[in-house]
Amino acid sequence: MTVSSLQHVIDKLLVENQGERIVSFEYQGRKYWLKQAERLTGAMRWLKSQPQAALQLEILTLTQLAESGAPVPKLVASGEGFLVLADVGMPISGWLNADISQAEKQAILCDSAAGLARLHQKGLAHGRPALRDICWEEGDVAFIDFEANQQDCDMHKQQIRDLLVYIHSLYRYIGPHPEVVEPVIAAYRAAGGETLWQASKREMEKWQWLNLLVAPLKTIGGKDLRPVYWLLRHFKQTL
């Protein structure tokens, strides 16, 4: 693949897909994603930040994360109003609905947990590591849509939030099945996340009183509320 030949394909796609936020395409047997700056209309021009600036910030963030050794999609091209990323596989949330065995799904989930632990060991945070923001392909894990401020002085606090969001997301997508979720959390702890897990447990001790409120809703609450019960339960019952 030459840069000039790929750029020719990108230029053609930009003309053919004006206004399209995200477009996938294949080139020389590989899949890529073209992302363009959001085009705002009406009141949204005032309610949202400048899309060009937001895209340039995303390009800068991806570059810095890659330099830090973070498992992020490769930025293969960028320019005024667009960026192109190499595909890094299907999100974990998609793999849960794939036509594969339960054992394979369990292994993919454990890979995602170990990947999050390795990210934290690099001194980084994601900001919202829900299963839809973690991709997997042939054993490799990559993270998309980072929201954390990597220059924040309280990285430890951001990493605790990461783990809580991740566990909440596990129960959100998998449901009340601790027999599936608990081995995944154990994989995070075994991959170097034990210290952060213990810190998260201490943090959650302050919130165990919420069990009195959410326990009655553990089966009838909304899809975001039900997992709160199982999140609290995990830290209450696990040593």
Side-chain angles (χ1 to χ4, degrees), residues 13-38:
L13 287 167
L14 288 169
V15 172
E16 295 174 346
N17 297 275
Q18 295 184 38
E20 290 291 330
R21 177 72 165 139
I22 299 177
V23 177
S24 66
F25 67 97
E26 291 193 8
Y27 178 71
Q28 295 187 349
R30 293 203 60 184
K31 186 176 182 179
Y32 299 89
W33 295 88
L34 168 66
K35 184 175 183 179
Q36 300 183 68
E38 189 174 6

Side-chain angles (χ1 to χ4, degrees), residues 90-103:
M90 188 160 57
I92 304 298
S93 56
W95 283 110
L96 293 178
N97 295 318
D99 187 19
I100 58 177
S101 69
Q102 183 57 43

Side-chain angles (χ1 to χ4, degrees), residues 43 53 57 61 63 112 114 117 152 155 164 175 212 218 228 231:
L57 178 60
T61 300
T63 302
S112 74
D152 194 314
M155 180 57 65
L164 299 180
L212 298 173
K218 64 182 180 181
V228 174
L231 172 66

Side-chain angles (χ1 to χ4, degrees), residues 2 15 26 36 44 50 80 85 119 127-129 133 139 154 156 158 162 178 195 197 201 209 216-217 219 235:
T2 65
V15 172
E26 291 193 8
Q36 300 183 68
M44 295 306 294
Q50 294 297 320
E80 185 175 352
L85 301 173
L119 181 74
R128 189 198 60 191
D133 297 313
D154 199 345
H156 183 66
Q158 288 196 100
D162 267 6
T195 299
W197 183 89
K201 181 178 174 65
W209 60 270
L217 305 174
T219 58
F235 284 105

Side-chain angles (χ1 to χ4, degrees), residues 18-230:
Q18 295 184 38
E20 290 291 330
R21 177 72 165 139
I22 299 177
V23 177
S24 66
F25 67 97
E26 291 193 8
Y27 178 71
Q28 295 187 349
R30 293 203 60 184
K31 186 176 182 179
Y32 299 89
W33 295 88
L34 168 66
K35 184 175 183 179
Q36 300 183 68
E38 189 174 6
R39 291 192 175 186
L40 304 179
T41 59
M44 295 306 294
R45 294 178 179 176
W46 304 99
L47 296 175
K48 300 188 72 172
S49 60
Q50 294 297 320
Q52 292 284 355
L55 189 74
Q56 290 304 312
L57 178 60
E58 183 173 356
I59 292 170
L60 177 62
T61 300
L62 282 167
T63 302
Q64 292 175 337
L65 286 167
E67 291 173 349
S68 300
V72 295
K74 182 180 179 181
L75 179 67
V76 298
S78 63
E80 185 175 352
F82 78 91
L83 62 81
V84 176
L85 301 173
D87 184 68
V88 287
M90 188 160 57
I92 304 298
S93 56
W95 283 110
L96 293 178
N97 295 318
D99 187 19
I100 58 177
S101 69
Q102 183 57 43
E104 289 173 303
K105 293 179 182 180
Q106 190 77 54
I108 291 172
L109 285 165
C110 288
D111 282 347
S112 74
L116 182 61
R118 290 192 293 269
L119 181 74
H120 289 161
Q121 286 178 296
K122 291 180 181 295
L124 301 170
H126 181 277
R128 189 198 60 191
L131 299 191
R132 64 180 179 273
D133 297 313
I134 309 173
C135 298
W136 183 95
E137 185 175 44
E138 297 182 354
D140 292 326
V141 173
F143 295 83
I144 60 176
D145 295 337
F146 276 71
E147 293 187 356
N149 179 1
Q150 306 304 329
Q151 281 71 50
D152 194 314
C153 61
D154 199 345
M155 180 57 65
H156 183 66
K157 183 176 181 179
Q158 288 196 100
Q159 291 174 340
I160 289 177
R161 183 179 184 276
D162 267 6
L163 182 56
L164 299 180
V165 169
Y166 177 74
I167 297 174
H168 179 277
S169 183
L170 286 172
Y171 278 111
R172 186 181 188 277
Y173 282 97
I174 297 170
H177 298 290
E179 72 281 3
V180 176
V181 174
E182 293 298 328
V184 180
I185 304 173
Y188 174 88
R189 298 172 67 179
E194 179 65 24
T195 299
L196 193 68
W197 183 89
Q198 293 290 349
S200 300
K201 181 178 174 65
R202 290 191 294 272
E203 182 67 24
M204 292 306 291
E205 288 175 356
K206 308 172 188 176
W207 298 97
Q208 286 299 330
W209 60 270
L210 279 174
N211 263 320
L212 298 173
L213 300 178
V214 300
L217 305 174
K218 64 182 180 181
T219 58
I220 61 174
K223 60 184 179 180
D224 290 321
L225 182 58
R226 290 194 301 269
V228 174
Y229 168 81
W230 295 99

